[in-house]
Amino acid sequence: MHCISSSFMRPVLLTCWGVPVRSFPVMQYLGLLVAVLAGAAAAPLRGITPDSFILIATAIIAIGLLGSRLWYLVVNWTVYRSNPRRIWRRSDAGVVLYGGILLALVASWPLLHALQVPFGAFWDIGAIAAMAGIAVGRIGCFLNGCCTGRATGNLLGVILPGQDGVWRRRFPTQLLELLLCLLLFSGAEFALPRATRPGVVFVAVLAGLGWGRFVLEGLREHISRASRTTSALLALGCSGGLAILLT
């Protein structure tokens, strides 16, 4: 196979037979695979067989991908309204995490009920799977140059390109979110065998994700008020729910 590696931190990871292989979708798909495998490994801790988790997760992931794309289109509709054909461009395949989470949660309820799989138990495992998958996906964002941080003189700053291609010291928001997800993943793995109430781990992870993303989205080059507001609502709602579950 004749492949030519592209330079580091480029949207095109490599070129095979003249066909560009883009880093963002490659890492997103790899993230989905890692998520399913991580969830399958943890599933027995909640009384779910690995095979059952894989089958259910595959269906829910497909629904979640649709939700994340639809949320992205709604949030950025002013951009796509004047040129609807951009919706179908692969190079414009933007997604928003919260849309995927919301639709996946709603769609999973009747599916899990029909299969007699406890909702809370499944999503405790789903939280572990999601954090593993998102962590890998953020590598794709880093390579692609999207979701970049704003310029800073802070010690956390790293020399990175912005969406305009200009290199300067910036907050490495993609890598910081990767670190956030790894911390939440580790915390969930530690808490899962110790949490006796189903759903506690899931709600705790969502609360941590909401608070973390609220901070990180404020460091981005282009701050989305909608996403930041959603993060705050998620963090507050899940923190309150966690307090209730723990009492």
Side-chain angles (χ1 to χ4, degrees):
M1 184 170 75
H2 301 287
C3 297
I4 303 172
S5 297
S6 62
S7 57
F8 189 57
M9 288 186 59
R10 293 285 185 174
V12 177
L13 192 62
L14 50 85
T15 300
C16 295
W17 294 306
V19 179
V21 179
R22 298 188 176 276
S23 56
F24 183 79
V26 167
M27 298 309 298
Q28 296 302 305
Y29 291 131
L30 181 59
L32 294 177
L33 176 60
V34 169
V36 172
L37 293 178
L45 292 174
R46 278 292 183 259
I48 302 172
T49 65
D51 288 346
S52 296
F53 179 84
I54 290 172
L55 288 173
I56 298 170
T58 300
I60 291 175
I61 285 172
I63 296 169
L65 289 174
L66 175 62
S68 62
R69 179 59 175 168
L70 290 175
W71 192 298
Y72 179 83
L73 293 176
V74 170
V75 172
N76 297 280
W77 183 242
T78 55
V79 176
Y80 290 95
R81 181 174 54 188
S82 58
N83 188 5
R85 292 184 179 181
R86 288 185 59 184
I87 294 174
W88 311 108
R89 288 182 189 172
R90 292 183 180 180
S91 59
D92 269 354
V95 293
V96 175
L97 174 64
Y98 292 133
I101 292 176
L102 178 61
L103 191 56
L105 281 172
V106 173
S108 70
W109 184 274
L111 177 60
L112 293 172
H113 179 73
L115 296 175
Q116 297 183 337
V117 176
F119 183 86
F122 177 85
W123 280 107
D124 279 344
I125 305 303
I128 290 175
M131 292 306 100
I134 295 170
V136 175
R138 283 309 175 209
I139 299 174
C141 293
F142 180 75
L143 294 173
N144 191 49
C146 58
C147 307
T148 188
R150 67 172 187 262
T152 180
N154 194 290
L155 292 176
L156 286 176
V158 177
I159 303 299
L160 295 170
Q163 293 182 1
D164 55 2
V166 177
W167 290 71
R168 54 169 60 99
R169 185 175 293 277
R170 302 175 183 276
F171 286 109
T173 46
Q174 311 98 322
L175 300 182
L176 291 173
E177 187 163 349
L178 184 155
L179 178 60
L180 169 66
C181 290
L182 290 180
L183 289 173
L184 292 173
F185 172 84
S186 300
E189 284 276 15
F190 176 81
L192 188 65
R194 296 166 176 80
T196 57
R197 192 163 187 176
V200 168
V201 172
F202 174 61
V203 174
V205 167
L206 278 188
L209 183 67
W211 288 119
R213 284 178 63 92
F214 177 79
V215 174
L216 292 176
E217 285 165 2
L219 303 179
R220 287 188 176 178
E221 184 176 28
H222 299 292
I223 300 174
S224 170
R225 291 185 178 180
S227 293
R228 206 165 189 221
T229 300
T230 303
S231 295
L233 292 174
L234 178 69
L236 291 170
C238 289
S239 296
L242 183 62
I244 292 173
L245 286 173
L246 292 176
T247 56

